[in-house]
Amino acid sequence: MKEIFLCTISNVSSGSCAEDCAYCTQSAKYNADIDRYKFKSIEQIVFEAKEAAKNGALGFCLVTSGRNLDDKRVEYISRAARAIVNEGLHLHLIGCSGIADKDSLKELKEAGIASYNHNLETSKNFFPQICTTHSFQERYETCENALEVGLGLCSGGIFGMGESWQDRLDLLHALQTLKPHSTPINFFIPNKALPLKQEVLSQEEALECVRLAREYLPDVRLMIAGGRERVFGENQKELFECGINAVVLGDYLTTKGNTPKEEVLRIKSYGYGIATSCE
């Protein structure tokens, strides 16, 4: 039986990013109607990690908004990771704090972080259309840094931002060169506060993006993430038939997802099991 890997996101620092990514409600430039806070308490993060494990998640991603993994974030994420490890939860811990150098990533690894998530988002050619405050190359180099220090790499992108099919192929080729162990597939969802104005992708076009991702990345853990509920509603079986074998469980960074119980029941109704090992 095919098993689906479950991962939960903890948005531990929200809405204070000075970057101008046109797709992101966490950018302070756009004043989107979201919760904004600096850092959750370590106790709250540990509580969320325990809930994630109870719900069947194996992955637990600690996300801080902002340009880069600075000293303050390194110290904070490291404390949170050690607190989770000390609880004996055996979760695969993932850090996600923007552009990062090797020394900072090494510190996270020593604290118990197993992987680093840094999405390329789109092709090198299209990237300047969605962000001007940092470059595609900086993102790519962060992914290389994570691999060089021995962390697992989680890297993917967003479809439906106005990019061409060639841009989509170029993104997938770039990911192919990095060989991530996990690739999140996101679909752009419009927000009135954002400068990026695009219609939501049709199910047919979204599925073709998933098929292409699986073709380019046959061995990756292909994770369906943001936009899944908006694009597919209750009709999600084809996602798994097209190669999805991992799911973000519960809420996203600034939007609500379905309850973990609902998601697990849905996956099982399609005839799939829930993964109990990261292997």
Side-chain angles (χ1 to χ4, degrees):
M1 178 189 292
K2 180 177 174 180
E3 293 188 334
I4 307 302
F5 181 94
L6 303 180
C7 183
T8 294
I9 297 171
S10 178
N11 192 14
V12 298
S13 175
S14 177
S16 58
C17 185
E19 302 299 282
D20 70 354
C21 302
Y23 54 84
C24 185
T25 55
Q26 295 213 85
S27 172
K29 293 180 181 292
Y30 306 132
N31 296 311
D33 184 17
I34 63 168
D35 289 337
R36 299 179 189 277
Y37 47 88
K38 288 296 183 184
F39 291 106
K40 286 179 179 173
S41 70
I42 300 298
E43 291 75 19
Q44 176 63 26
I45 295 169
V46 170
F47 171 78
E48 291 179 18
K50 288 178 178 178
E51 289 298 300
K54 262 189 227 176
N55 291 325
L58 292 174
F60 189 70
C61 187
L62 300 159
V63 185
T64 64
S65 68
R67 176 184 173 86
N68 66 302
L69 182 61
D70 57 22
D71 290 345
K72 186 174 182 180
R73 288 190 174 92
V74 169
E75 189 274 335
Y76 171 71
I77 296 297
S78 295
R79 278 198 297 125
R82 288 191 174 97
I84 293 168
V85 170
N86 288 341
E87 291 290 332
L89 295 174
H90 305 297
L91 291 165
H92 182 92
L93 298 182
I94 307 154
C96 179
S97 293
I99 295 161
D101 60 35
K102 284 184 270 192
D103 287 341
S104 298
L105 291 166
K106 283 177 185 175
E107 287 191 52
L108 292 191
K109 184 182 177 187
E110 289 168 4
I113 294 293
S115 297
Y116 198 70
N117 170 223
H118 197 56
N119 293 333
L120 296 182
E121 304 301 18
T122 191
S123 71
K124 184 176 182 178
N125 180 63
F126 189 70
F127 193 84
Q129 306 287 327
I130 60 166
C131 180
T132 67
T133 48
H134 62 269
S135 68
F136 178 92
Q137 188 60 29
E138 287 174 287
R139 284 182 173 265
Y140 192 90
E141 287 174 1
T142 290
C143 293
E144 290 182 312
N145 289 343
L147 292 169
E148 285 184 35
V149 304
L151 285 168
L153 177 63
C154 175
S155 186
I158 306 171
F159 296 106
M161 297 188 291
E163 75 282 354
S164 67
W165 279 104
Q166 186 59 54
D167 288 315
R168 293 169 183 175
L169 297 177
D170 290 347
L171 164 64
L172 293 171
H173 176 70
L175 290 168
Q176 211 176 37
T177 65
L178 288 168
K179 299 180 181 177
H181 70 73
S182 181
T183 292
I185 300 295
N186 300 276
F187 302 112
F188 176 68
I189 300 302
N191 183 293
K192 63 183 180 181
L194 296 176
L196 188 59
K197 308 298 181 187
Q198 292 289 332
E199 297 295 321
V200 177
L201 287 183
S202 67
Q203 288 188 18
E204 292 75 17
E205 189 170 356
L207 285 171
E208 185 57 28
C209 293
V210 173
R211 291 188 190 99
L212 278 172
R214 179 49 80 200
E215 181 182 334
Y216 270 73
L217 304 162
D219 301 319
V220 80
R221 184 180 291 142
L222 198 60
M223 181 179 296
I224 196 69
R228 169 171 56 105
E229 292 87 350
R230 179 74 178 272
V231 175
F232 291 95
E234 299 297 312
N235 183 29
Q236 297 180 23
K237 186 176 182 181
E238 280 188 271
L239 281 167
F240 301 96
E241 294 172 347
C242 289
I244 291 296
N245 58 356
V247 168
V248 172
L249 188 69
D251 296 337
Y252 300 94
L253 291 174
T254 61
T255 58
K256 290 286 185 184
N258 294 324
T259 68
K261 183 178 180 181
E262 287 175 310
E263 293 297 352
V264 169
L265 288 174
R266 186 200 313 278
I267 291 167
K268 288 182 176 179
S269 76
Y270 295 152
Y272 302 110
I274 303 301
T276 56
S277 167
C278 292
E279 299 302 319

